[in-house]
Each structure stands twice: as structure tokens, then as C-alpha cells.
Amino acid sequence: MTRHFLRDDDLTPAEQRDVLELALAFRDDRYVRRPLVGPRAVAVIFDKPTLRTQVSFTTGIAELGGYPLLVEGKLAQIGVRESVADTARVLGRQVAAVVWRTFEQARLDEMAQHAGVPVVNALTDLFHPCQVLADLATVALHRGGVGRLAGQTLAYVGDGANNMAHSYLLGGATAGLHVRIGTPDGYPPDAGVLADAAAVAERTGGSVAVVGSIAEAVTGADVVATDTWVSMGQEGQAAERETPFVPFRVDAAALALAAPDAIVLHCLPAYRGKEITADVLDGPQSVVWDEAEFRLHAQKALLTWLLEQS
């Protein structure tokens, strides 16, 4: 059976642990596994702006022994010039896997239905699961291993309706974390995603909660995470979004409420002085550069695992 990674809970808790352990192994030895030797090609499709996703996937596929076949979304016009299903059928006969950074989750789901090879969500409007795998691996690195993830409290503050909040809920619950989403009124997570995360948390011993203040979210937290207040495609809402989100800025006062050894995550790009202050982002508790590096290791681990399972 072909395995895909379209949302965080496509991996069971045990499978997620295996991928995270392999990510740590790849950090220690970048060539520990090379399932794409040949080279076998992986299609990497970009419909949205990218830095970390392009660099980490192309580098990672090459280090796995493969060839990263970059597909520029504006040229391919998937779903316009040619249907998603037909594109999937063409790609699936020529590449080992498909990695897609796009808008609607439904497009990614349709690709997976017809490709016949593993399809990986490199970001959609609803989820950013590869980023959260990298984040979990980063936390594991700083907390003594993957086995120490369960029971950690992760506070995400900012836009509770965006893809990072959704993936923290699902991915964090899968890892047994206690996930708190701190967000202003009017920006709650998707109700279905929240319910799915709560169901996962019941099985793993974690928990999920949505709270209305930064203090409720970060007090005692082991990990404090944030993201831009304006996601891609929302640039026209920048002015109206700033006022409700200012109280959720991660600054020194907010971080002081967290556990003394709390670490800070940001998926980047960061806007210093907006969602996070420069002294926190560049400070001693920030692990954002480890986090950015772990996109490479986590995605190599994920691709290796998917190819071996499919």
C-alpha cells in the first residue's frame, strides 16, 4: 500500500517516533540511508513562495541519492492547464515520490488519490506537517531524545486558524504533548482539526486546549512557539490583523512566564518586533536555527520511511 503524508496524523504515534528517531540519526550522519540511489527522481512542486522548503527538500533528495525534479507551479498550471488527477498520473509513472507546496488541501488529497507513489504535504493552507516534524525533532534534541517528548507542554501563540496551529495540534497530540493554542477571539482552530487532535491526545496521554490570552498559553510551558500573524495569501489583511495579535507577541515578559529552561520555536520567516521580539528570537533560549536545519533531517527521514513502507 502506498503511504502518503498529507496531514500530521497520517503517522501513528509509533510511526512518528520512528521517523523522528531517523531524523536524529540523519543529523549525526547525513548519509546513513540512501533510498533514492540511482538516482531516482522526486518531483518537488512549488505553488507558493519558498526558501526552507526548497533548500531542505532539494538538498535532502540529493543526499538520499536522488534527483530533485523542481516543478514551478506557475509554469505547470496544475488544475488549470491540466487536471490534478492527470498530472498525478503522469508524475507517478516517472518519479519515486511527489512533494507539493500548494494552497487547498483538496488539491494535495487528489494528487495522492491518483499518483500511485508517496505524496508529501510540503505546506497547504490547512497544514504544515513537515515543519512540525522538524519542530518535534528539535525539541527532542534539546530534551534528551524522542522518548522525552511525551508530557512536554508546547504553547503556540498567534493565529490559531493557520496551518501551523493545526499541525501543532495534530502532530503534538500524536507525540503525547500538551498543546496549548493561545489566540485572540475570531481566530480559532478549525473545529474538525481540534476534535481530531483531542481524539489522538486521548490515546497518547497528551492534551489540547485553546485559550484566549498569552499568559494562559505560556505559563509553565516547556516550548513556546509562534508564527507570522499574516500567512501567505493574507497580505491584504495585515493592518487589520495587527491590533488583535499584539497582545500575543512573544517578548521577554511572555517568555518569563514559561518554564525557566523553555525553548523558543519559530518556523520562519520571522518579523522581529511583530510576532516576536529580536531579543527573544536571537536570544539564548531560541532554537530556531536548529529548527530550520531539522527541516532537512526530518524530511529525509520521512521520505526514507515512506519509500520503505510503500
Side-chain angles (χ1 to χ4, degrees):
M1 180 181 72
T2 303
R3 293 294 301 269
H4 307 289
F5 190 55
L6 310 179
R7 46 185 280 165
D8 306 77
D9 55 350
D10 280 343
L11 297 177
T12 67
E15 291 169 346
Q16 185 196 68
R17 284 194 296 273
D18 289 344
V19 171
L20 293 175
E21 292 283 10
L22 185 53
L24 292 173
F26 270 118
R27 181 179 182 271
D28 292 337
D29 179 355
R30 286 168 68 151
Y31 303 98
V32 67
R33 303 265 272 279
R34 305 193 77 212
L36 291 171
V37 166
R40 301 166 70 193
V42 174
V44 188
I45 310 170
F46 298 114
D47 294 336
K48 286 189 172 189
T50 176
L51 171 65
R52 278 150 298 279
T53 298
Q54 180 172 351
V55 171
S56 57
F57 268 113
T58 55
T59 301
I61 291 163
E63 291 184 355
L64 292 175
Y67 174 74
L69 176 62
L70 296 181
V71 180
E72 211 286 325
K74 290 181 181 177
L75 292 178
Q77 298 184 57
I78 300 171
V80 177
R81 180 172 174 269
E82 194 165 9
S83 71
V84 173
D86 286 355
T87 302
R89 294 180 180 108
V90 170
L91 291 175
R93 289 175 176 239
Q94 300 184 54
V95 301
V98 176
V99 175
W100 197 4
R101 182 179 175 93
T102 191
F103 293 88
E104 297 88 357
Q105 182 74 19
R107 285 161 59 81
L108 191 79
D109 294 342
E110 187 176 0
M111 179 73 76
Q113 289 172 13
H114 299 282
V117 296
V119 174
V120 174
N121 182 348
L123 178 143
T124 63
D125 291 342
L126 197 57
F127 300 111
H128 199 355
C130 286
Q131 179 66 60
V132 167
L133 280 181
D135 291 5
L136 291 171
T138 303
V139 176
L141 177 71
H142 288 273
R143 289 292 183 258
V146 176
R148 301 290 297 275
L149 285 174
Q152 296 279 311
T153 296
L154 182 148
Y156 167 84
V157 294
D159 185 357
N162 76 4
N163 50 16
M164 284 303 300
H166 293 152
S167 279
Y168 275 130
L169 285 166
L170 288 178
T174 301
L177 271 63
H178 301 293
V179 181
R180 303 176 192 155
I181 305 295
T183 190
D185 290 342
Y187 299 92
D190 177 89
V193 172
L194 184 60
D196 289 344
V200 172
E202 283 188 13
R203 300 194 296 272
T204 62
S207 65
V208 296
V210 180
V211 297
S213 74
I214 193 168
E216 289 178 275
V218 305
T219 297
D222 303 295
V223 183
V224 176
T226 190
D227 186 17
T228 177
W229 296 334
V230 182
S231 297
M232 285 175 281
Q234 299 174 338
E235 289 79 6
Q237 304 172 27
E240 67 188 73
R241 279 175 163 264
E242 184 157 340
T243 298
F245 284 114
V246 165
F248 291 83
R249 176 181 292 133
V250 178
D251 56 17
L255 187 56
L257 298 174
D261 62 345
I263 58 176
V264 176
L265 299 174
H266 192 309
C267 62
L268 304 175
Y271 300 91
R272 291 167 173 82
K274 297 285 188 178
E275 71 275 4
I276 191 168
T277 56
D279 61 318
V280 173
L281 185 70
D282 301 319
Q285 291 174 265
S286 170
V287 296
V288 298
W289 312 118
D290 288 341
E291 179 186 5
E293 177 189 334
F294 260 107
R295 289 292 302 277
L296 171 67
H297 309 313
Q299 289 160 186
K300 287 170 67 177
L302 175 68
L303 282 170
T304 299
W305 188 88
L306 290 172
L307 290 166
E308 290 177 350
Q309 297 295 317
S310 297

